[in-house]
Amino acid sequence: MAQLLPVDTFDLVIFGGTGDLAMRKLLPALYHRDKDGQITAESRIIAASRGALTQQAYLELVEEALKSNLAEGDFDEAHWKVFARRLHYAQADAYEHDGWGELNKLLSGYEERTRVAYLATAPGLFGAIATGLKSNGLVTEPSRIVLEKPLGRDLDSARDINDAVGQCFAENQIYRIDHYLGKETVQNLLALRFGNSLFEPLWRRSAIDHVQITVSEDLGVGGRVEFYDRVGALRDMVQNHMLQLVCLFAMEAPSSLDQNAVRDEKIKVLRSLKPISAEGAKKHSVRGQYSAGAVNGETVDGYLDELDGGKSTTETFVALKLEIENWRWSGVPFYLRTGKRLKAKHSEIVVQFQDVPHSIFPEQEYNVSPNLLRIRLQPDEGVQLSVMAKEPGPGGFELKPVSLDLSFAETFGVRYPDAYERLLMEVLRGNPALFMRRDEVEAAWQWIDGIIDSWQTSNQSVESYVSGSWGPSAAALMLDRDGRSWHQED
Ligand code: BG6
């Protein structure tokens, strides 16, 4: 395993510090990094929130959260006592900037340290909190601010947020998080593409027939239904996570791993995405919403039941056919799909290579299937390449696809750190390469806004799909029209 070095002593203030993200993801991630010796004893993690909480009550909340959110066996009583010493609580209301006395007191005298404000709140509060930090004199030179997604709900609101935060922090102090960029296998895409010479000559239209990207979830929207109903799958998953995957997959080789070299290449991909027009929307996109069904052997409610019988046309599933208009990818469709309450939690990129140009194996007798490269993001992270081989035996000549299979867990035999562990350390180290720059977020919104407009103009309906399936039949039809089908294990 790569050597883990401690990061410089820091003060990390988490706004929304008692909320779901902090409790479920951020604190467990920090606990792990602390346990591995990456957090110095003097560093402080300060939860800022509206409620009045004693230090003791806050610690009880965190202890409870760690016990339920860390993997079995990862909570260690002795280490909890050490970690608890780093934790502090300060009452602060996003809009009442005069009432930030506790925070001011805690931070006063520590101006030289790395200072990070992590905004794990609704995006509507980002501007107000940034302004509060500035008006309280809390934005020091070594300060950084982390913005959680969603960054707005369209291009205009994203620009407003970027403008408001930009009044208080310089662009190089702003870290816009997309947790997919912290996933080990997503970073492995860079290793696969640019650490091997094997793939580069094949990574283009002359060798690739098409690319499929699936991010499926078996869970429904559950407790987030009110929030989700205003958002939908396109904004929740495609605008950020899936487009980032497309960018890393399709971008040209950056000249280095430098933050701007990578981001400069990613934005070129975003700017090359062909807009989905109102006329093309029905052919190039599918919207779906789950109805009741069974997932993993358990019966589950439909989306509208979770919404308390309300009416809604919000999509919980989306499939898109995307085209990248540049020399490398012209004519290579990228099929994307993501949804809730699908058959399994499963994320992967499948690259289908072209058929052999001339087959010496007659079609009537042999089944020659195209080579597939599967990059599995979760679960069971790894890479699999399927090639045709001759089945052993002295009889006839039988062809079979076989897999050259690399399971990362088996190969490296280590625990896969959660994406937040990696990303928090990158913020604390001051490396924004794995975060989104303002122009990237806005370019992504611009393309997404175009789809939403097209859906509205063409009155694109939402197809119902049964929970536990692979989504609406229209998603299969979209590929069928092109003579293709989704690669999935049924
Ligand atoms: C979040 C979305 O950004 O990503 C959620 O808001 C989704 O709706 C989640 O469930 C998926 O993340 P992961 O890491 O579980 O694939």
Side-chain angles (χ1 to χ4, degrees), residues 10 12 22-23 25-39 45 62-63 65-67 69-71 73-84 86-87 415 420-421 424-425:
F10 62 82
L12 166 65
M23 293 295 166
K25 292 285 185 184
L26 304 181
L27 289 159
L30 289 161
Y31 173 88
H32 271 299
R33 292 304 91 231
D34 190 42
K35 210 167 165 202
D36 282 348
Q38 284 196 283
I39 297 184
I45 299 161
V62 179
E63 184 177 0
L66 290 180
K67 283 182 176 158
N69 292 307
L70 286 170
D74 281 354
F75 183 83
D76 173 85
E77 285 293 344
H79 191 72
W80 160 241
K81 292 203 172 73
V82 176
F83 185 62
R86 327 247 188 271
L87 303 178
R415 176 185 80 89
Y420 281 96
E421 295 180 41
L424 279 162
M425 290 297 108

Side-chain angles (χ1 to χ4, degrees), residues 113-382:
R113 289 187 169 185
T114 303
R115 181 176 290 177
V116 175
Y118 196 118
L119 275 45
T121 64
L125 299 181
F126 290 173
I129 295 173
T131 312
L133 286 164
K134 187 162 180 201
S135 64
N136 276 280
L138 298 176
V139 184
T140 53
E141 215 193 305
S143 279
R144 287 151 215 165
I145 188 165
V146 185
L147 308 179
E148 255 298 333
K149 72 166 269 278
L151 212 98
R153 53 172 286 108
D154 54 17
L155 178 58
D156 286 344
S157 52
R159 276 194 180 136
D160 289 346
I161 293 171
N162 283 330
D163 285 344
V165 177
Q167 303 273 321
C168 312
F169 290 84
E171 178 62 24
N172 65 4
Q173 293 178 300
I174 306 174
Y175 288 65
R176 299 175 188 83
I177 212 163
D178 182 318
H179 79 276
Y180 266 55
L181 292 178
K183 287 187 188 278
E184 286 287 328
T185 24
V186 174
Q187 290 169 27
N188 236 315
L189 196 52
L190 294 179
L192 190 77
R193 288 197 62 198
F194 307 121
N196 297 288
S197 59
L198 184 67
F199 296 110
E200 171 52 22
L202 303 176
W203 217 258
R204 59 191 64 245
R205 64 191 300 275
S206 51
I208 292 179
D209 177 75
H210 74 277
V211 180
Q212 300 184 6
I213 305 183
T214 298
V215 177
S216 71
E217 297 184 85
D218 50 356
L219 293 179
V221 290
R224 292 165 79 216
V225 68
E226 262 182 49
F227 157 81
Y228 192 90
D229 201 52
R230 282 177 270 122
V231 178
L234 185 71
R235 291 188 175 99
D236 187 43
M237 295 296 287
V238 183
Q239 189 272 342
N240 34 74
H241 308 324
M242 297 197 78
L243 286 185
Q244 286 295 319
L245 292 178
V246 171
C247 286
L248 292 179
F249 182 93
M251 70 182 184
E252 296 300 315
S255 56
S256 71
L257 275 182
D258 170 78
Q259 45 158 309
N260 281 323
V262 175
R263 298 191 291 186
D264 286 348
E265 293 308 331
K266 286 200 291 169
I267 190 148
K268 287 185 204 156
V269 176
L270 291 170
R271 290 192 176 134
S272 311
L273 295 178
K274 184 173 177 184
I276 294 185
S277 65
E279 300 73 52
K282 286 214 166 66
K283 252 174 81 189
H284 291 123
S285 67
V286 174
R287 307 176 67 215
Q289 189 185 76
Y290 60 83
S291 58
V295 181
N296 302 324
E298 279 187 27
T299 54
V300 292
D301 282 344
Y303 179 73
L304 295 181
D305 306 318
E306 289 182 335
L307 203 59
D308 252 349
K311 277 203 173 112
S312 168
T313 54
T314 297
E315 79 284 350
T316 59
F317 174 98
V318 62
L320 299 174
K321 176 177 172 182
L322 178 154
E323 291 169 68
I324 302 175
E325 296 184 299
N326 64 20
W327 274 46
R328 187 185 282 269
W329 296 115
S330 176
V332 179
F334 282 63
Y335 300 103
L336 270 50
R337 64 176 170 167
T338 182
K340 304 269 183 204
R341 283 276 190 251
L342 295 178
K343 189 159 184 170
K345 182 165 173 75
H346 170 86
S347 305
E348 69 176 8
I349 302 176
V350 182
V351 187
Q352 180 170 325
F353 290 92
Q354 290 189 359
D355 289 336
V356 292
H358 164 74
S359 181
I360 60 167
F361 305 105
E363 232 177 90
Q364 314 82 285
E365 287 171 55
Y366 297 96
N367 207 351
V368 183
S369 26
N371 300 118
L372 296 181
L373 177 72
R374 275 175 194 271
I375 304 165
R376 294 189 309 262
L377 307 180
Q378 56 191 23
D380 189 19
E381 296 85 350

